[in-house]
Amino acid sequence: MKTKIVTIGASDSPESVEEKLACAGIIIRQGGLVAFPTETVYGLGGDALNPESSRKIYAAKGRPGDNPLIIHIADMAHLDRIVSEIPGNARKLAEAFWPGPLTMIFRKAAIVPYQTTGGLDTVAVRMPVHPLARLFIRKAGGYVAAPSANLSGKPSPTLAKYVVQDMDGRIDMIIDADGAEIGLESTIVDVTGEVPMILRPGYITQQMLSGVVGETDMDVTIYDSSSPQTPRAPGMKYRHYAPKGELVIVEGEPQKVVRYINEQTALHEAEGKRTGIIGTQELLLEYHASIVKNAGSRSDADAVARQLYTFLREFDDEDVAYIYAESFSEAFEDKGFGQAVMNRLLKAAGHKIVRV
Ligand code: AMP
Ligand code: MG
């Protein structure tokens, strides 16, 4: 399959943007697949109400069939058609955080095919805020099923070039435009129960959610990796975002962390292995490895989130065999956005942590 790459930038007139997205919308309506930017990461879109489109999404990504897709909508009025009820808490959360990086799990309406929900009777819905994403969804008929636009297991793409790397030849169109300012996937909240439950942490934090609905719960597997429970979001049980090299998170007093990482990288490099580091601004000059990525200040979770997946992809391109990352858990113990950053970093590392 030939993949059409369509760039949308500052030089496009509103008419030209409209025309390009109308073409993309027609592809979706005809059962094809289009990758598009959102404020979180790039999505791989298909018609959410067409079982054949969902099947194609799983095939293009190599995604396990039990890992359901998120339906993206652009208008609140469209929600009714795909869910069987809208709980009061969901209305409050939608009012506070939609459009934005929040996904909610509802009981599904019959019109939503099981191919889209991975066989579940519930359905995940999000309303993105990215203006191109919203116009694209409307042009596509209002219901776009979209997981992240990466091959299954790889880091979610925050730049169009990584979508091209993974999806060229596998889908009909890639929209290359600015986006992914947040850099991590949406917060997922199950609103089907009495108390809303967070299934995946993200930019919308527990504190923000509780500020709107009062009490909220969090899936235990998010903060306790030794829990025997299965994650409630099926996708959370898979290893994710894994770079080709071995990634280890190093936790402890800053000077000890630096010493340990420098010792390890010296050993690997003496064996002729390329080694990389994800470090914070505060410690950057103290590292000796050949490749050191600047994750920004320890106190700035937004900056770390924005760059994390790009770093993981760059390490692959740079053929790095061993990667060491500072732990962000202490700096982020306030359970804010840092919790989501640490959640993704732990998954990428397969939970390998060294405490020094
Ligand atoms: P992605 O779009 O690649 O970020 O993946 C979507 C995430 O949403 C995966 O972790 C899914 O398991 C989760 N998800 C989608 N639908 C549901 C649902 N009905 N119930 C629980 N989790 C869901
Ligand atoms: Mg994904």
Side-chain angles (χ1 to χ4, degrees), residues 77-231:
H78 289 166
L79 183 61
D80 274 338
R81 199 166 158 225
I82 51 172
V83 305
S84 66
E85 66 171 322
I86 305 177
N89 280 333
R91 282 195 195 282
K92 289 187 200 157
L93 291 173
E95 206 158 289
F97 302 115
W98 276 5
L102 176 70
T103 296
M104 288 192 270
I105 310 289
F106 298 86
R107 289 187 209 292
K108 82 174 192 69
I111 193 173
V112 179
Y114 281 110
Q115 282 83 351
T116 300
T117 66
L120 298 176
D121 285 314
T122 50
V123 61
V125 187
R126 174 163 110 81
M127 190 192 290
V129 70
H130 192 298
L132 294 184
R134 296 168 65 73
L135 188 53
F136 163 63
I137 292 164
R138 292 193 179 115
K139 298 281 182 199
Y143 300 95
V144 175
S148 49
N150 51 285
L151 287 172
S152 197
K154 298 245 260 163
S156 302
T158 48
L159 296 169
K161 68 175 179 178
Y162 296 128
V163 181
V164 174
Q165 212 171 61
D166 281 13
M167 291 297 153
D168 195 19
R170 304 175 79 91
I171 62 177
D172 300 282
M173 183 187 276
I174 296 172
I175 299 171
D176 178 348
D178 286 344
E181 300 81 15
I182 292 176
L184 296 189
E185 305 81 352
S186 58
T187 305
I188 302 180
V189 180
D190 185 341
V191 290
T192 60
E194 190 82 355
V195 177
M197 162 139 354
I198 299 166
L199 308 189
R200 178 171 74 182
Y203 188 77
I204 307 291
T205 63
Q206 182 162 25
Q207 200 183 8
M208 291 160 79
L209 296 164
S210 295
V212 173
V213 293
E215 197 188 353
T216 54
D217 277 339
M218 187 175 275
D219 184 345
V220 59
T221 60
I222 291 171
Y223 53 85
D224 178 7
S225 62
S226 61
S227 163
Q229 283 194 33
T230 307

Side-chain angles (χ1 to χ4, degrees), residues 231-266:
R232 286 163 185 255
M236 295 288 276
K237 69 175 178 280
Y238 295 106
R239 173 126 192 250
H240 267 304
Y241 328 120
K244 288 186 208 139
E246 180 175 292
L247 169 60
V248 175
I249 301 167
V250 186
E251 197 166 87
E253 245 176 68
Q255 285 315 315
K256 287 189 182 163
V257 169
V258 168
R259 198 178 326 130
Y260 178 84
I261 291 180
N262 279 340
E263 279 165 13
Q264 295 300 309
T265 50

